[in-house]
Amino acid sequence: MFLKASFTSLIVGVFVVYVLHTCWVMYGIVYTKPCDNPKEDNCITPFLAGNPKLQLSIYTALRPNAEGGHTLIHKEETFDVNSKFERIVNVTLPKKTRNNGTLYAFIFVHQAGITPWQDPRQVHLVAQLTTYMVPKLPEISLISGDDQTQGQKEEAQQKKGEGDAAAAPTSTADHPVSHWRTRLTFNIVGDPFVFDRESLPSDVHRYLRVFQNGKKMVYLPLLFVDELSNRVKDLAEINSTSMELPLTISYDSISLGRLRFWIHMQDAVFSLQQFGFTEKDADEIKGIFVDTNLYFLGLTFFVAAFHLLFDFLAFKNDISFWKEKKSMVGMSSKAVLWRCFSTIVIFLYLFDQQTSLLVLIPAGIGSIIEVWKVKKALKIQVFWKGGKPSFLFGKMDESERRTEHYDTLAMKYLSYLLYPLCIGGAVYALVFQRYKSWYSWLINSLVNGVYAFGFLFMLPQLFVNYKLKSVAHLPWKAFMYKAFNTFIDDVFAFIITMPTSHRLACFRDDVVFLIYLYQRWLYPVDKTRVNEYGVSYDEEPKKEKTHKD
């Protein structure tokens, strides 16, 4: 008992140190030490302090070094660094770009009246306007066989009539095609911050352009292209008929602390892509930063940290509970089977949706653990003879048969409601929705049933508790940690973009948890009943009486 308590205390201690260290790192990111005396030689003063007249020019080119020519697409004659704006321009695509090629944008901030290519005080960045991504597989109606939209049929007929099939991108499952980024977002630090040369942040150093003005060092405006704002939902597939495409140019000033934070987050997303994350995987992470307020983002960090802690503690206590479990008295075996089935369905659904390994691997491990729980609950023993497995099911005692009777009775009543709802939802989806294949329809129907009606399978355990008038047989430590995570998931439901069915699934568990709490208050602990380890509290004193002094 002491070792278990010490291990839990160690985990909590490591968690507290991790949170404090992360807060210290975040403080070091958003805070930059300024130069104490701007007149000293080791200070780097801003070029914007002299209120120069600036101009904004944006060009496009086929190569990142502008070889082969460039085209001006937008110009702001009077550019105010502190004035926010958004412009929509139509960009003419070169033939190479339409033939599955690339296109780059050159953003120049330079002195007014001087060509940016000849201005020694100009600052510029290169942003990619196109990206390669595997197109989504076409979804069809499994009943009629029609395509997803009528517009796709018309577009295909138009391509066929032009006889330009060789120029059009091939939209196969394994062939990435060029997509247009419809948004171009960039920022400039508007604060007249004076840097100290000896404590210059390394993350800002790569964006800093400095020139000598007498004895003083002056840095040009800090220009930053916000790559996190490029979302998958804003991409448009490029084909041979895409002569012009709209581009939304968005600008806003930014503080130095926010710039440094954004640089670190952007580098983190880029590192994940280098490790094999797809554009879709990275987009889910971008959504956390772009679609969320910074205060909510801070709350998300603390919520995620506590979620990780409770997940680990619940996992540890759940494994300990089932490892020592000897009897299924008071436990709903149907609920255990349902959790195993639902976790496997969710794993197959995530695999079908090509979810990132960061989500897929934990789901797979959870499925394996649930299968192990079923083996323990049904007392299954596996014997191997000649390479073929044989299964032996254990026998139930009188108390377990009584629990199984209540469990079966609850499932009987529940099936009258559950099966018609699941079958009706699957038939409705088959008629009115479109899928990639029959397998995709089957997995989607099963996972929708899990999300929509999965909480109904928690009711048999409530029914067993009601009949036995006891809740002492439940793993309350693991259950309480999971309950805390349920309320944490409620917070995530407001912060993170997720399917509506998954959001509703977060709130439906709260109702069942409150009923469990009510039953724990209603039914006092009966020490004559077996606990979660299959032992009665009154058995231990009786055993002690048999000993002789």
Side-chain angles (χ1 to χ4, degrees):
M1 186 68 182
F2 176 75
L3 292 177
K4 291 183 179 179
S6 300
F7 181 73
T8 302
S9 301
L10 177 63
I11 294 300
V12 174
V14 172
F15 168 76
V16 172
V17 172
Y18 165 74
V19 172
L20 293 177
H21 176 264
T22 304
C23 292
W24 175 255
V25 172
M26 295 298 296
Y27 173 77
I29 291 176
V30 298
Y31 174 76
T32 305
K33 181 183 178 182
C35 189
D36 298 329
N37 188 2
K39 295 182 179 180
E40 294 181 358
D41 295 338
N42 63 332
C43 294
I44 307 177
T45 58
F47 180 70
L48 295 176
N51 295 322
K53 294 183 179 179
L54 299 177
Q55 182 175 323
L56 172 69
S57 301
I58 302 178
Y59 297 83
T60 58
L62 291 173
R63 297 181 179 180
N65 55 6
E67 290 185 359
H70 51 270
T71 305
L72 179 67
I73 61 172
H74 184 69
K75 180 168 64 173
E76 294 281 339
E77 297 287 352
T78 304
F79 178 61
D80 185 5
V81 173
N82 296 311
S83 297
K84 178 181 179 180
F85 69 84
E86 186 170 286
R87 307 281 189 267
I88 300 178
V89 298
N90 291 323
V91 180
T92 302
L93 301 184
K95 186 177 180 181
K96 290 184 178 180
T97 304
R98 298 197 304 269
N99 294 341
N100 210 21
T102 58
L103 194 65
Y104 296 87
F106 290 78
I107 307 170
F108 285 90
V109 177
H110 55 96
Q111 300 178 87
I114 304 178
T115 305
W117 305 95
Q118 299 176 352
D119 183 10
R121 300 288 185 265
Q122 59 84 18
V123 59
H124 76 278
L125 285 178
V126 181
Q128 194 168 349
L129 294 178
T130 58
T131 184
Y132 287 98
M133 192 176 67
V134 177
K136 186 179 179 181
L137 292 176
E139 295 179 346
I140 61 172
S141 173
L142 299 177
I143 301 296
S144 61
D146 293 336
D147 291 344
Q148 185 176 7
T149 59
Q150 186 65 25
Q152 292 180 347
K153 290 183 178 181
E154 296 176 357
E155 183 180 355
Q157 292 177 358
Q158 184 179 3
K159 290 180 183 179
K160 184 177 181 181
E162 292 176 356
D164 196 17
T170 306
S171 298
T172 59
D174 57 348
H175 185 77
V177 300
S178 184
H179 284 69
W180 177 254
R181 290 177 172 173
T182 58
R183 294 191 64 87
L184 176 62
T185 305
F186 61 97
N187 311 96
I188 292 180
V189 177
D191 303 333
F193 190 85
V194 180
F195 287 101
D196 189 344
R197 188 186 304 180
E198 296 180 356
S199 59
L200 187 65
S202 58
D203 45 31
V204 179
H205 188 271
R206 54 179 158 163
Y207 292 93
L208 204 66
R209 288 197 58 201
V210 182
F211 66 92
Q212 192 79 27
N213 186 11
K215 294 184 178 180
K216 294 183 179 181
M217 297 292 292
V218 182
Y219 70 91
L220 295 172
L222 288 173
L223 179 63
F224 174 74
V225 177
D226 186 5
E227 297 285 348
L228 295 178
S229 61
N230 295 325
R231 305 294 305 280
V232 171
K233 63 182 180 181
D234 298 326
L235 296 178
E237 186 176 344
I238 301 175
N239 51 51
S240 60
T241 61
S242 304
M243 304 301 295
E244 280 190 357
L245 287 176
L247 177 66
T248 301
I249 301 174
S250 179
Y251 168 78
D252 194 7
S253 60
I254 190 173
S255 63
L256 180 61
R258 189 183 180 95
L259 171 68
R260 295 188 60 194
F261 178 77
W262 237 236
I263 291 174
H264 280 269
M265 296 303 103
Q266 194 162 283
D267 290 345
V269 173
F270 178 76
S271 299
L272 291 177
Q273 290 178 314
Q274 294 297 108
F275 278 107
F277 274 57
T278 63
E279 186 81 18
K280 181 181 178 182
D281 298 331
D283 183 74
E284 296 175 358
I285 302 175
K286 290 179 182 178
I288 300 177
F289 302 110
V290 177
D291 297 339
T292 307
N293 184 277
L294 278 181
Y295 295 103
F296 273 114
L297 197 60
L299 177 63
T300 303
F301 162 72
F302 286 103
V303 167
F306 279 100
H307 194 286
L308 181 63
L309 174 65
F310 291 139
D311 255 344
F312 179 82
L313 294 177
F315 174 78
K316 182 183 77 70
N317 284 276
D318 197 29
I319 294 296
S320 300
F321 169 79
W322 283 98
K323 185 178 180 181
E324 302 294 335
K325 190 68 176 173
K326 303 298 182 183
S327 173
M328 283 297 292
V329 175
M331 296 293 295
S332 173
S333 59
K334 301 295 190 301
V336 177
L337 287 170
W338 165 251
R339 282 196 299 269
C340 179
F341 172 76
S342 60
T343 51
I344 293 176
V345 167
I346 293 176
F347 171 75
L348 294 176
Y349 171 75
L350 295 175
F351 184 78
D352 181 65
Q353 297 295 318
Q354 297 180 350
T355 308
S356 65
L357 295 178
L358 193 65
V359 178
L360 197 61
I361 292 177
I365 295 175
S367 301
I368 296 174
I369 293 175
E370 292 299 330
V371 172
W372 172 71
K373 290 181 183 179
V374 170
K375 177 180 177 296
K376 293 284 291 185
L378 301 182
K379 301 178 181 179
I380 302 175
Q381 295 182 357
V382 182
F383 300 96
W384 294 87
K385 296 180 179 180
K388 295 181 179 180
S390 59
F391 301 93
L392 178 63
F393 291 85
K395 296 181 180 180
M396 295 185 294
D397 56 25
E398 184 62 30
S399 299
E400 289 177 325
R401 281 195 291 268
R402 183 184 174 194
T403 302
E404 187 68 19
H405 171 71
Y406 294 146
D407 193 16
T408 304
L409 188 62
M411 285 300 301
K412 177 182 177 182
Y413 296 146
L414 190 61
S415 62
Y416 296 151
L417 174 66
L418 184 64
Y419 296 153
L421 290 176
C422 290
I423 295 174
V427 172
Y428 176 85
L430 179 63
V431 175
F432 295 99
Q433 295 182 5
R434 294 173 172 82
Y435 298 93
K436 295 178 293 185
S437 63
W438 286 97
Y439 174 77
S440 179
W441 164 77
L442 177 62
I443 292 298
N444 277 269
S445 299
L446 290 176
V447 81
N448 286 334
V450 169
Y451 280 141
F453 314 117
F455 76 103
L456 296 177
F457 277 92
M458 303 178 187
L459 302 183
Q461 184 63 62
L462 297 177
F463 186 77
V464 171
N465 297 343
Y466 165 73
K467 286 293 186 180
L468 295 179
K469 298 296 186 293
S470 174
V471 293
H473 41 264
L474 296 177
W476 279 103
K477 284 187 178 180
F479 180 72
M480 291 302 297
Y481 289 131
K482 291 180 180 179
F484 286 134
N485 270 348
T486 297
F487 290 111
I488 291 175
D489 289 336
D490 296 344
V491 179
F492 272 112
F494 289 102
I495 295 177
I496 299 177
T497 303
M498 61 178 63
T500 304
S501 58
H502 192 80
R503 182 175 285 113
L504 293 177
C506 295
F507 293 106
R508 64 144 197 242
D509 295 337
D510 299 342
V511 179
V512 178
F513 168 67
L514 293 176
I515 298 176
Y516 275 124
L517 284 183
Y518 174 72
Q519 287 186 333
R520 184 173 177 82
W521 170 82
L522 185 63
Y523 307 136
V525 177
D526 185 359
K527 295 184 180 295
T528 62
R529 298 184 182 276
V530 292
N531 64 2
E532 61 266 29
Y533 301 109
V535 179
S536 174
Y537 289 100
D538 285 349
E539 289 179 2
E540 296 179 0
K542 292 178 181 179
K543 291 181 180 179
E544 291 177 358
K545 291 180 181 179
T546 60
H547 292 280
K548 296 181 180 180
D549 295 332

